[in-house]
Amino acid sequence: MSAAKRVGILISGRGSNMVSLLEAMRAGEVPGEAALVVSDRPDAPGLAKAASFGVATAVVPRREYRGRPREEHDRAVHERLEAAGVEIVCLAGYMRILSPWFVERWQGRMINIHPALLPSFPGLHGQRQALEHGARIAGCTVHFVDAEVDHGPIIAQAAVPVLPGDTEETLAARILEQEHRIYPLALRLLCQGRLTIEGRRVLVRDEQIDLPRSLVVPDPSS
Amino acid sequence: MSAAKRVGILISGRGSNMVSLLEAMRAGEVPGEAALVVSDRPDAPGLAKAASFGVATAVVPRREYRGRPREEHDRAVHERLEAAGVEIVCLAGYMRILSPWFVERWQGRMINIHPALLPSFPGLHGQRQALEHGARIAGCTVHFVDAEVDHGPIIAQAAVPVLPGDTEETLAARILEQEHRIYPLALRLLCQGRLTIEGRRVLVRDEQIDLPRSLVVPDPSS
């Protein structure tokens, strides 16, 4: 077993997925330690939460980089991550599109979570898109970050039913519960060094092959 | 309870999904009776299977319509369906793109099954597309047929894991097992008159709201 990986988390808001990662690391379920939380917004509520976990925080305000190339902001974020010895980056509601420079720098070491079963419903409001499309199964995806938005190789997914009467809020809450399961799961596998990227596929070393399961919607007893 | 609906099934090949529908109707699980199976290929193995269920069959060979507008073939199929008193049409591996005329004629009364969690992976070889994309959750969808391929309002979906070592064949078999569950389920709901289309959403009257379930891949115990 190698030493705990140093993990950096990028946020812009409340950092709900950040909290699930911090809890999993604190509980020893993930062989990683939170080295730094970076926000591009000084008022992100997640900053105080990170501090309550005793995790160092930094703010690189996007405002200060207004009108300048995106990469300049990314370089400032990158400097903070490097200074903190970060080895793995997790995006947790980070609302900035990353420059190619940053993406390349963290290729294979940066992951993101998206509230849809990719490749369905990339982009903003994946839950609302699923609802408006009339999907009966929705979900979430953890993936490596590549140059396209919500596109890189997929590490983990979870599926949930869309239920009658669902609103964007109730569906988002059902998906969020699963986000809080698969993001720590994916980070654990990455910290354990068990992931290999082959083209678009992610191979998991020593993956447990469980009995085939399924999720059927509507319930067949309907 | 109204009388059994008269169901027509269109095939081009072995008709594996046709068989699951015929079995469900014969078992009384679906309040429908198979009125006619139509193939556009004289050599479709599904024709003999349909006959073994005692169901009338017809062939409208696409060859005879080569070089003529698609609608002409569709009109010939339509005549057969009308003559058999068909009220609901199920596509079961029917490998022809339908003319707008035919689609409009059966709007809200014609359903299709596709081996992917739409809107992901429409078109041919949905299973292979999922595998090559590196999806960890795959599945199948029953939907009303509209003017676009694999696109209409969704009635039912089922999700399954993509497992390590899966080939197109093993994944297709796992999905097919679920196709054989959700296609009879969707046909039953349609024959029972319980489906309403609102925009892109399909409402199911008296849908059983089961406890939230989920499907997580990889297995969290991995």
Side-chain angles (χ1 to χ4, degrees):
Chain A
M1 194 70 189
S2 53
K5 294 283 185 187
R6 293 182 68 77
V7 175
I9 305 175
L10 305 193
I11 66 170
S12 295
R14 61 198 174 115
S16 135
N17 273 305
M18 172 199 75
V19 168
S20 77
L21 297 178
L22 294 179
E23 284 175 346
M25 286 189 272
R26 184 169 67 182
E29 294 158 15
V30 170
E33 60 180 310
L36 184 66
V37 168
V38 180
S39 172
D40 64 328
R41 293 177 178 276
D43 57 349
L47 287 168
K49 278 191 221 148
S52 77
F53 276 80
V55 177
T57 62
V59 176
V60 184
R62 60 164 81 181
R63 284 193 184 181
E64 295 181 7
Y65 294 82
R66 194 179 284 161
R68 290 152 69 182
R70 178 171 291 136
E71 187 178 316
E72 284 190 35
H73 182 267
D74 284 354
R75 282 185 182 269
V77 171
H78 184 70
E79 274 172 28
R80 302 297 189 104
L81 296 171
E82 289 274 285
V86 166
E87 299 164 284
I88 288 171
V89 170
C90 298
L91 305 182
Y94 188 60
M95 299 300 287
R96 259 179 98 80
I97 292 177
L98 299 165
S99 63
W101 177 85
F102 192 85
V103 170
E104 189 177 347
R105 184 64 191 76
W106 290 95
Q107 192 95 45
R109 302 187 297 144
M110 177 161 57
I111 62 181
N112 182 40
I113 189 158
H114 180 74
L117 283 174
L118 293 173
S120 286
F121 313 125
L124 288 177
H125 307 301
Q127 309 96 329
R128 186 192 306 169
Q129 289 185 61
L131 206 58
E132 291 178 349
H133 190 81
R136 291 311 312 261
I137 292 181
C140 49
T141 302
V142 181
H143 62 92
F144 284 105
V145 175
D146 71 3
E148 291 180 52
V149 171
D150 301 327
H151 175 269
I154 292 169
I155 302 169
Q157 294 188 300
V160 300
V162 179
L163 297 180
D166 259 342
T167 62
E168 186 180 349
E169 288 68 33
T170 59
L171 178 59
R174 191 173 309 117
I175 293 172
L176 189 62
E177 194 179 329
Q178 299 304 318
E179 292 176 45
H180 294 170
R181 292 178 72 184
I182 66 170
Y183 212 2
L185 164 62
L187 179 59
R188 173 166 63 76
L189 296 173
L190 181 57
C191 286
Q192 289 171 332
R194 291 169 60 193
L195 303 181
T196 311
I197 304 175
E198 285 194 357
R200 270 211 59 85
R201 298 184 69 176
V202 176
L203 308 184
V204 182
R205 182 160 49 78
D206 300 329
E207 179 173 346
Q208 183 76 32
I209 304 182
D210 55 348
L211 293 174
R213 302 149 292 148
S214 64
L215 173 64
V216 175
V217 185
D219 191 285
S221 66
S222 275
Chain B
M1 192 74 188
S2 54
K5 293 283 183 186
R6 293 182 67 76
V7 175
I9 305 176
L10 305 191
I11 65 170
S12 295
R14 63 196 173 114
S16 135
N17 273 306
M18 172 199 76
V19 168
S20 78
L21 297 178
L22 295 179
E23 284 176 346
M25 286 188 273
R26 184 168 67 182
E29 294 158 14
V30 170
E33 59 180 311
L36 184 65
V37 168
V38 180
S39 172
D40 63 329
R41 293 178 178 276
D43 58 349
L47 287 167
K49 278 190 221 152
S52 78
F53 276 81
V55 176
T57 62
V59 177
V60 184
R62 60 163 84 180
R63 282 193 187 183
E64 295 180 8
Y65 294 82
R66 195 178 285 162
R68 291 154 65 186
R70 176 171 292 137
E71 186 177 315
E72 285 190 34
H73 181 267
D74 284 354
R75 282 186 181 271
V77 172
H78 185 70
E79 274 172 28
R80 304 298 188 101
L81 295 171
E82 289 274 285
V86 166
E87 301 165 283
I88 287 171
V89 171
C90 299
L91 306 182
Y94 189 61
M95 298 301 286
R96 261 179 97 81
I97 291 177
L98 299 165
S99 62
W101 178 85
F102 192 85
V103 169
E104 189 177 345
R105 184 65 191 75
W106 290 95
Q107 192 93 45
R109 302 187 297 145
M110 177 162 56
I111 61 180
N112 181 41
I113 188 158
H114 179 74
L117 283 174
L118 293 172
S120 286
F121 313 124
L124 290 176
H125 307 301
Q127 309 96 329
R128 187 192 305 170
Q129 288 185 61
L131 206 56
E132 291 177 348
H133 189 81
R136 291 309 314 261
I137 291 181
C140 49
T141 302
V142 181
H143 61 93
F144 284 106
V145 175
D146 71 4
E148 290 180 53
V149 172
D150 302 326
H151 176 267
I154 292 168
I155 302 169
Q157 294 188 299
V160 299
V162 179
L163 297 181
D166 259 343
T167 63
E168 186 179 349
E169 289 67 34
T170 59
L171 178 59
R174 192 174 309 119
I175 293 171
L176 188 61
E177 194 180 329
Q178 300 304 317
E179 292 175 44
H180 294 169
R181 293 179 72 183
I182 66 170
Y183 211 1
L185 164 62
L187 179 59
R188 173 166 63 77
L189 296 171
L190 181 58
C191 286
Q192 289 171 333
R194 292 169 59 193
L195 302 181
T196 311
I197 303 175
E198 286 195 357
R200 271 211 59 85
R201 298 185 71 175
V202 176
L203 307 184
V204 182
R205 183 160 46 77
D206 300 330
E207 178 174 347
Q208 182 76 32
I209 303 182
D210 55 347
L211 294 174
R213 302 149 293 148
S214 64
L215 173 63
V216 175
V217 185
D219 190 285
S221 67
S222 275

